[in-house]
Amino acid sequence: MLSVVDDKQVIAYTIKSDPYIQSLGFQNQYIYKSMTTPDLIKAGNKQIFIYNAPGVRTVSEIESGLVYQIDVSVPTTENYIADICLEQIQALILNKTIRKRPIRLFDPPRALAPSIENFYIIGMKIVLYSTIFNKKRVIESNS
């Protein structure tokens, strides 16, 4: 089953609940399940963004790969903290399973082009392979 909602929820929870990441100065309210945007990046904040990236096809007609980008953003003067944080995230989530699907590294960590002046952003991509068949949701009636 493909479920970006569940996947991002588990990934975000894993990151938010790690005491080491918290000790680096990342606060839960600045860990987003959305793409990095200039309006979200605030001066002095350390932030993490988890969002969908283009997926991958497999040789199987019933399986697909959901790809997620994880970006860590910090003030440029603290760029080493972003590197350490992403290393910790990688250690926490690689080979973790979501609904019996292991998380795999899709694209190794790399510094991204700065989108905001005075910020350092580094990111990586992960992938979860799953069947393409989802359960149809229905509205329950009270009658």
Side-chain angles (χ1 to χ4, degrees), residues 82-96:
D83 294 333
I84 292 169
C85 179
L86 199 60
E87 287 175 8
Q88 179 71 358
I89 291 171
Q90 186 173 339
L92 289 170
I93 66 172
L94 286 188
N95 293 320
K96 180 178 180 65

Side-chain angles (χ1 to χ4, degrees), residues 79-140:
N79 61 351
Y80 65 97
I81 289 178
D83 294 333
I84 292 169
C85 179
L86 199 60
E87 287 175 8
Q88 179 71 358
I89 291 171
Q90 186 173 339
L92 289 170
I93 66 172
L94 286 188
N95 293 320
K96 180 178 180 65
T97 59
I98 299 175
R99 288 184 317 280
K100 300 181 182 178
R101 300 173 301 142
I103 297 173
R104 302 282 187 225
L105 184 63
F106 183 74
D107 195 14
R110 69 199 190 299
L112 306 173
S115 60
I116 303 291
E117 189 176 332
N118 299 321
F119 275 90
Y120 174 78
I121 301 172
I122 187 167
M124 71 176 181
K125 291 181 183 174
I126 57 172
V127 63
L128 287 112
Y129 291 97
S130 186
T131 66
I132 61 171
F133 301 108
N134 285 10
K135 291 182 181 177
K136 182 179 175 183
R137 295 179 181 172
V138 295
I139 298 172
E140 303 279 332

Side-chain angles (χ1 to χ4, degrees), residues 12-31:
Y13 176 79
T14 302
I15 293 168
K16 286 179 178 183
S17 62
D18 183 60
Y20 187 77
I21 289 176
Q22 292 172 3
S23 77
L24 295 173
F26 292 89
Q27 299 173 11
N28 287 348
Q29 67 265 32
Y30 300 122
I31 299 174

